Amino acid sequence: MTAVDIRRIHPLNRREGQDGPVVYWMSRDQRAMDNWALLHAQELALERRAPLVVLFTLAPSFLGATLRQYGFMLRGLAETAQLLAKMNIPFYLLRGEPVGQLCSFVERNRVGTVVTDFDPLRVKRVWREGAARLCGVPFFEVDSHNIVPCRFVSDKQEYGAHTLRPKLRRLLADFLHEFPPLIPHPHAWPVPFQPLDPQGILSDLYMDRSVSELSNPLPGTRAAGERLRSFIAQGLEDYGLRRNDPCCDGQSELSPWLHFGQLAPQRVALETVRTLSGSPSSEAFLDELIVRRELSDNFCLHNQAYDRLEGFPAWALKTLGEHRHDRREYLYTQEQFQDAETHDPLWNAAQRSLLLGGKMHGYLRMYWAKKILEWSASPEEALAVAIRLNDRYSLDGRDPNGYAGIAWSMGGVHDRAWGERPVFGKIRYMNDRGCRRKFDVDAYIRRWGE
C-alpha cells in the first residue's frame, strides 16, 4: 500500500511514465514535512531509483503581494530548503514566468515526472494546466492543503457550511491520520546546488516596498510549530469562549503559516484531537480549521468568479442591483479606506490592525468588509477595494479564505437573505451597536488608536 491516498492525486495530463528525475513543483505547500505532494514525489522517485528535486518558481508579481508577503514567504522557504538539504533533496528557486521556467528545467535535466500541489486560485490553475500541457512529461497534482481532498469531497460549489460539513464528517476518519516520514533520499541529484539567500533575492526583486516586513510573526516551519504548541497549551481550552472577542487574543493566529503552507492543517488537526478531543472548544476550532477553511477552497475551485460580482448568488445580485442607486450617507475613496480615514473609529482601528500588524480579527473582518460596501459608490468598487486592501496588507491575503470571507460579507455567499434595508438590500447587516454587544469596542479602539 502506498503512503499517499490515491484520492489525493489528480493527473493533469495522460502522458506515459518516463525514466528520469522526479520534480516536486512546490507552490502552495511550502514545507518539507507533513506534505503529501512531496511524499508522493518521493514515492515515485524511489520506485524508479531516481533523484528527487524540489523547485519553486518565483513569479515577477503575484496578486498585489508586497515586500511584507514576499519577505515572509522567502524566509520560510530558506528554512524549508535547509530541511530538504538534510534529506539529500535539493531545492531550486527559479525566477521568471513560472511555466517557461519549469518546462526549461524539465527539458534541461531530462526530468521524468512532475508532481505539484493543489491550489484553487485561477492564476495557479493556469500555471498548472499550461505546464502540464507544455512540459511533455506526466504531471500530477496532489492535495496537501486540505485534510479531505477538495476535488474528492464535492464536485460542485456547496451552498454553505451546513451542506459541506456532513460530507467532510463522513470522510474525515479516512484522511485524518498521521503522516509517514520523509526519508533521506538515497539517489543523489548530480548537480551542485546553493543554499537559498532570501535577503539577496529580496534586495534584487522588483516589487512594492512601501508595505514593510513585520518583526512578528516570524516565518517558517519552526516558528509555526512553536505557535501551534503555545495555542494548544494556552488557548485551545477557552477557544470557544474567546474566539469572537477581538480584545482577548483568543484566536489561534496560525493563519499566516497555514496560508504559506509552512504548517499543514492536518498537523494542526492531529495535535488538537490528540490534546483535547471532543470538548466544545476543540470542536469549534476544528470546525473553523476544517469545515470553514475547506469550504473556501470549494468556493474558489468551483466558482471561477470568486473575486468578482458575478460570483455572488443570484438573489444577492438581484438585491444589490435593486439598491445600487440608494443614497450613501458616507462615501470614501480607496485612499481614505487605505489610510483609515473614515468617520468610524472602530472601522479605522480594524484597518490600522491590518496596516500595522498584517492581520485582522475574523469577526471584525466581516464588519470591515460590510462597511466598505455601505460607504462605496457601487458593489463593484467595494469588492475591488476590500480585495486590494486585504491582499496588499494581510499576511494571509491572496487566499481562498479571504475571497470567500469578502464574498460572504458583501455578496451573501454561504449565507441567506435577511431583512431588507438601504444599500445592502437583503445582504446581512452589521453595525457598531452589534459589535458593542459582542466585545469592548472602546478598548479595541484604544489598542489600535492613532
Side-chain angles (χ1 to χ4, degrees):
M1 180 179 178
T2 60
V4 181
D5 193 310
I6 194 171
R7 293 172 291 183
R8 290 191 179 277
I9 303 168
H10 176 70
L12 292 173
N13 61 26
R14 298 294 176 183
R15 300 187 189 280
E16 296 295 326
Q18 300 180 25
D19 293 332
V22 176
V23 161
Y24 167 40
W25 184 21
M26 178 181 282
S27 181
R28 191 185 193 190
D29 293 289
Q30 299 169 19
R31 59 186 181 274
M33 304 302 169
D34 298 346
N35 186 331
W36 292 116
L38 178 55
L39 287 166
H40 182 58
Q42 185 168 63
E43 280 183 342
L44 295 176
L46 291 171
E47 288 173 5
R48 299 168 190 182
R49 301 179 181 274
L52 170 63
V53 62
V54 175
L55 292 187
F56 187 90
T57 51
L58 185 64
S61 63
F62 187 74
L63 299 177
T66 67
L67 176 61
R68 176 172 293 178
Q69 293 88 21
Y70 274 109
F72 193 92
M73 180 182 74
L74 286 166
R75 296 184 199 284
L77 283 171
E79 183 182 314
T80 294
Q82 291 174 354
L83 293 171
L84 288 168
K86 293 177 181 178
M87 309 302 285
N88 200 33
I89 301 170
F91 177 95
Y92 286 93
L93 186 141
L94 307 179
R95 293 173 56 177
E97 191 278 318
V99 173
Q101 290 293 322
L102 175 70
C103 290
S104 294
F105 185 94
V106 166
E107 182 177 0
R108 190 166 60 248
N109 293 281
R110 298 183 179 179
V111 168
T113 301
V114 175
V115 176
T116 191
D117 40 41
F118 167 79
D119 193 321
L121 298 189
R122 279 194 311 274
V123 62
K124 297 288 193 72
R125 294 179 72 172
V126 169
W127 291 351
R128 290 196 308 270
E129 291 165 6
R133 186 174 63 253
L134 296 174
C135 280
V137 298
F139 219 103
F140 298 95
E141 170 199 278
V142 180
D143 192 339
S144 298
H145 212 76
N146 293 291
I147 297 172
V148 181
C150 186
R151 292 186 186 277
F152 181 76
V153 70
S154 178
D155 60 0
K156 64 180 182 180
Q157 181 182 328
E158 293 294 329
Y159 186 81
H162 66 283
T163 63
L164 183 62
R165 187 177 289 110
K167 295 180 180 182
L168 288 169
R169 284 180 173 170
R170 281 197 297 271
L171 292 165
L172 200 57
D174 285 357
F175 291 97
L176 185 56
H177 51 76
E178 188 55 66
F179 292 89
L182 183 73
I183 65 170
H185 199 70
H187 308 293
W189 180 253
V191 184
F193 58 96
Q194 298 296 320
L196 183 64
D197 174 17
Q199 191 57 50
I201 296 169
L202 288 169
S203 299
D204 187 47
L205 197 60
Y206 180 77
M207 72 178 103
D208 182 350
R209 299 178 181 274
S210 63
V211 183
S212 60
E213 290 188 79
L214 299 169
S215 58
N216 186 52
L218 295 174
T221 299
R222 187 177 300 107
E226 290 174 359
R227 176 55 199 167
L228 174 59
R229 288 187 290 274
S230 173
F231 169 68
I232 286 178
Q234 302 172 21
L236 179 58
E237 190 170 1
D238 295 328
Y239 177 82
L241 299 174
R242 295 159 53 91
R243 60 175 170 153
N244 286 329
D245 187 341
C247 297
C248 280
D249 294 325
Q251 296 192 319
S252 73
E253 309 293 349
L254 293 171
S255 63
W257 297 289
L258 291 171
H259 166 72
F260 284 102
Q262 296 170 5
L263 177 65
Q266 187 158 336
R267 172 58 57 202
V268 178
L270 287 167
E271 298 305 318
T272 299
V273 170
R274 194 170 288 140
T275 304
L276 196 67
S277 180
S279 74
S281 280
S282 66
E283 290 302 309
F285 177 63
L286 289 171
D287 196 70
E288 292 289 336
L289 176 74
I290 301 173
V291 179
R292 298 291 175 175
R293 195 182 50 78
E294 299 201 10
L295 180 64
S296 298
D297 265 28
N298 169 272
F299 170 59
C300 291
L301 177 66
H302 294 292
N303 186 335
Q304 286 297 284
Y306 54 78
D307 57 352
R308 300 193 298 268
L309 216 67
E310 309 91 89
F312 295 172
W315 69 264
L317 289 173
K318 181 175 184 294
T319 196
L320 288 171
E322 290 168 348
H323 291 270
R324 174 177 292 276
H325 302 295
D326 289 1
R327 178 181 173 274
R328 272 78 169 159
E329 186 175 1
Y330 301 96
L331 282 175
Y332 295 107
T333 64
Q334 178 172 276
E335 290 72 24
Q336 287 172 311
F337 281 123
Q338 175 180 283
D339 296 335
E341 294 177 344
T342 79
H343 69 285
D344 180 353
L346 176 58
W347 193 95
N348 293 343
Q351 174 64 11
R352 279 194 292 273
S353 77
L354 194 60
L355 293 173
L356 302 176
K359 63 181 180 180
M360 188 184 298
H361 189 281
Y363 182 81
L364 274 175
R365 207 183 290 217
M366 297 185 292
Y367 177 82
W368 172 87
K370 287 179 179 294
K371 291 304 174 185
I372 295 176
L373 175 63
E374 186 175 352
W375 303 331
S376 296
S378 70
E380 290 88 351
E381 181 180 314
L383 183 62
V385 167
I387 288 174
R388 181 179 185 275
L389 293 181
N390 188 63
D391 288 0
R392 178 175 168 78
Y393 293 103
S394 180
L395 277 175
D396 67 358
R398 307 151 317 285
D399 189 276
N401 278 335
Y403 297 122
I406 292 170
W408 178 90
S409 300
M410 294 184 170
V413 170
H414 304 147
D415 203 6
R416 62 176 177 84
W418 292 72
E420 197 157 7
R421 61 172 62 240
V423 181
F424 284 82
K426 296 179 181 179
I427 301 297
R428 186 195 297 248
Y429 180 71
M430 289 179 72
N431 62 13
D432 178 88
R433 290 192 303 276
C435 291
R436 288 182 182 276
R437 290 193 293 270
K438 289 278 189 181
F439 64 94
D440 188 340
V441 166
D442 294 327
Y444 182 82
I445 292 170
R446 287 194 298 272
R447 177 178 180 180
W448 291 103
E450 291 179 311

